Amino acid sequence: MINEKRLLLILAAVQFCHIIDFMIIMPLGKTIMEVFSITPGQFAWVVSAYAGAALTGNLVSTAFIDRFDRRSALLFLFVGFTIGTLACAFAPSYLMLLVFRSCTGVFGGTLGALVLAIVGDVIPLERRASAMGWVMTAFSAASVVGVPSGIWIASEYGWQSPFLVTAGISALFVGMAWLFVPSLTGHLVAEKEVALRQAQQGAHTPDAKIGEGAMAAAPLKGLRKVIDPFVRIFSDGNQRAALLFTLSLMLGHFTIIPFIAPYMQINIGFEDKQVSLIYFIGGLLTVVLLPFFGKLADRYGRMLIFMTASFFALGSIWWLTNLDTDSLLVGLLATSSFFVVASGRNVPATTMITSVVRPENRGGFMSIRQSVNEMALFGSTLIAGFIITEGPDGKLEHYELLGYFTMMMSVVAVLAASRVRAVS
């Protein structure tokens, strides 16, 4: 019997470590540029190396992730992630830092997809949104605790210290996962049952392939095992709709995020210390409210709660990107409202996405889904950089246009969600 609460706690801890490792590099930019004598453009590669490697790792893992016990895969990826994070603290040069961040991204990105696959395997659909709400609080916890703590630790003990602390915390949770996460092979059992049914259906077919033809086809079996997961996913209209849903939702969420802090500082007049309040208050509210969004989705329906949260997200996005005030309180209300409703709609959305594929294929699908997420993350940053410009007075211009694009993609996400159907 699986202890669901303990498992969800460990999975949330895994997500926390992965997210804080991804986020902590950005506030350390100035220090890292000085230490390694690199340009802002070179530092951008340090940030993007993680996302690019995660994209690659997810694409590769799609072909084989569903062939292993989920526990074994989780431990392997988590150990690799921990070692990669630790290595970053000892990077002797810019090039090696790029290499270590890429290695960490390969493990970390796939780890994030695997966590969601495990939740989809273990938690029944009628309770899955609540479980997703708890696991997804890891992002909020990273904003509330991880990033501010990492910045303080780096200022006191050097830029390497956040990586050392993150690696230490990850090692602790690796131990907990090894002790308390049980063998998770339900997807393998389901796969065997499907294979058995297919074999029974083909039991009376002519045996024409026996002999020379079968031997000639043998070298192709390995290639088919690699290609089959991709063919299965992209030939299924429901899964394609889920991937479109993922892409549009990310573009309707993350596109305005990179410029929230600069906009609040340059255009609204927030001081450096006040910027931390954006993430602290917004993150704290989502820590409290994300499980509530999950309960609402389980009770009233995932699509209804997603559409309702998306409606309020449109208003919040417009308010934030058209903000013109000198009030700290109004600014924090605008940013906090966006954090709450935009993150809240992700709970039913993620639950809907995990339900479009059966357990035996869920790991591969979630790896592809995570790859689409990484692509959208990269694309949204490019779009934001293309639209936002600096005016003659030094203020950022066209943030409202970025907001309108984000609102449009949020509407597309609702339309895509209406095409998604649950199969498990």
Side-chain angles (χ1 to χ4, degrees):
M1 186 69 179
I2 296 175
N3 187 323
E4 291 183 1
K5 291 184 177 178
R6 186 167 62 192
L7 178 63
L8 291 176
L9 177 62
I10 293 174
L11 294 179
V14 173
Q15 286 289 71
F16 174 83
C17 295
H18 157 54
I19 292 167
I20 192 60
D21 183 78
F22 172 73
M23 294 176 65
I24 196 60
I25 194 72
M26 288 176 273
L28 301 178
K30 183 175 181 293
T31 302
I32 289 177
M33 284 188 285
E34 293 174 350
V35 169
F36 292 107
S37 301
I38 58 176
T39 66
Q42 289 174 306
F43 174 72
W45 278 106
V46 178
V47 178
S48 60
Y50 192 102
L55 170 61
T56 304
N58 279 300
L59 288 174
V60 172
S61 67
T62 300
F64 58 83
I65 193 71
D66 286 318
R67 302 183 199 173
F68 300 98
D69 183 335
R70 301 284 196 223
R71 178 182 186 272
S72 300
L74 180 72
L75 291 173
F76 172 76
L77 292 170
F78 205 6
V79 169
F81 165 82
T82 303
I83 294 173
T85 301
L86 181 63
C88 289
F90 298 99
S93 65
Y94 167 68
L95 180 60
M96 292 307 299
L97 182 61
L98 274 180
V99 171
F100 293 149
R101 287 300 290 170
S102 298
C103 292
T104 310
V106 168
F107 290 103
T110 310
L111 194 61
L114 182 62
V115 165
L116 297 180
I118 292 174
V119 175
D121 288 351
V122 174
I123 309 300
L125 185 57
E126 61 270 16
R127 293 188 286 108
R128 195 175 297 162
S130 297
M132 285 292 179
W134 283 108
V135 172
M136 291 174 67
T137 56
F139 183 88
S140 305
S143 299
V144 173
V145 179
V147 173
S149 299
I151 295 172
W152 181 82
I153 292 171
S155 65
E156 292 291 323
Y157 302 104
W159 69 271
Q160 301 97 330
S161 53
F163 294 105
L164 293 172
V165 173
T166 303
I169 295 173
S170 298
L172 173 64
F173 286 119
V174 166
M176 290 184 63
W178 184 78
L179 289 173
F180 298 117
V181 174
S183 178
L184 299 169
T185 57
H187 63 294
L188 296 176
V189 173
E191 184 180 21
K192 289 180 180 178
E193 292 175 351
V194 170
L196 180 60
R197 286 197 300 270
Q198 291 175 342
Q200 290 172 344
Q201 291 171 359
H204 302 291
T205 58
D207 203 16
K209 290 186 178 180
I210 294 179
E212 215 171 288
M215 292 177 65
L220 298 177
K221 289 184 179 179
L223 180 61
R224 286 187 59 187
K225 285 184 178 181
V226 173
I227 296 175
D228 278 351
F230 294 93
V231 174
R232 183 170 53 245
I233 290 169
F234 289 104
S235 63
D236 187 306
N238 194 33
Q239 294 181 39
R240 290 199 306 269
L243 294 178
L244 174 62
F245 182 25
T246 296
L247 178 66
S248 54
L249 184 61
M250 176 59 75
L251 291 174
H253 175 80
F254 193 80
T255 309
I256 65 172
I257 288 179
F259 283 94
I260 288 180
Y263 184 78
M264 299 305 288
Q265 287 175 294
I266 298 171
N267 290 48
I268 306 302
F270 273 43
E271 297 177 1
D272 292 346
K273 291 182 179 180
Q274 292 172 332
V275 170
S276 64
L277 291 175
I278 296 173
Y279 299 96
F280 179 80
I281 296 174
L284 186 62
L285 287 172
T286 52
V287 165
V288 174
L289 294 175
L290 284 191
F292 177 67
F293 275 96
K295 291 181 179 179
L296 288 177
D298 282 335
R299 182 171 182 178
Y300 297 107
R302 293 168 292 279
M303 187 63 189
L304 176 61
I305 299 304
F306 173 73
M307 290 180 64
T308 303
S310 295
F311 173 77
F312 285 105
L314 294 178
S316 179
I317 293 167
W318 183 89
W319 185 19
L320 176 59
T321 56
N322 288 271
L323 193 63
D324 185 14
T325 180
D326 56 2
S327 169
L328 174 65
L329 177 60
V330 173
L332 290 175
L333 286 173
T335 55
S336 298
S337 69
F338 172 74
F339 274 98
V340 169
V341 294
S343 299
R345 65 179 173 174
N346 281 335
V347 175
T350 306
T351 307
M352 293 166 67
I353 290 168
T354 62
S355 69
V356 304
V357 61
R358 299 190 184 282
E360 62 269 22
N361 300 318
R362 184 172 286 126
F365 173 78
M366 294 308 293
S367 290
I368 285 287
R369 182 257 180 188
Q370 189 69 20
S371 297
V372 171
N373 246 2
E374 301 292 347
M375 289 170 57
L377 183 67
F378 181 73
S380 63
T381 305
L382 287 181
I383 292 168
F386 178 75
I387 293 177
I388 297 294
T389 59
E390 185 178 347
D393 57 355
K395 292 188 175 182
L396 300 180
E397 295 184 340
H398 309 310
Y399 197 37
E400 73 282 358
L401 297 181
L402 199 61
Y404 296 140
F405 171 81
T406 305
M407 293 168 67
M408 180 182 69
M409 295 310 302
S410 296
V411 173
V412 173
V414 173
L415 296 176
S418 67
R419 297 176 54 195
V420 173
R421 299 290 180 265
V423 299
S424 66

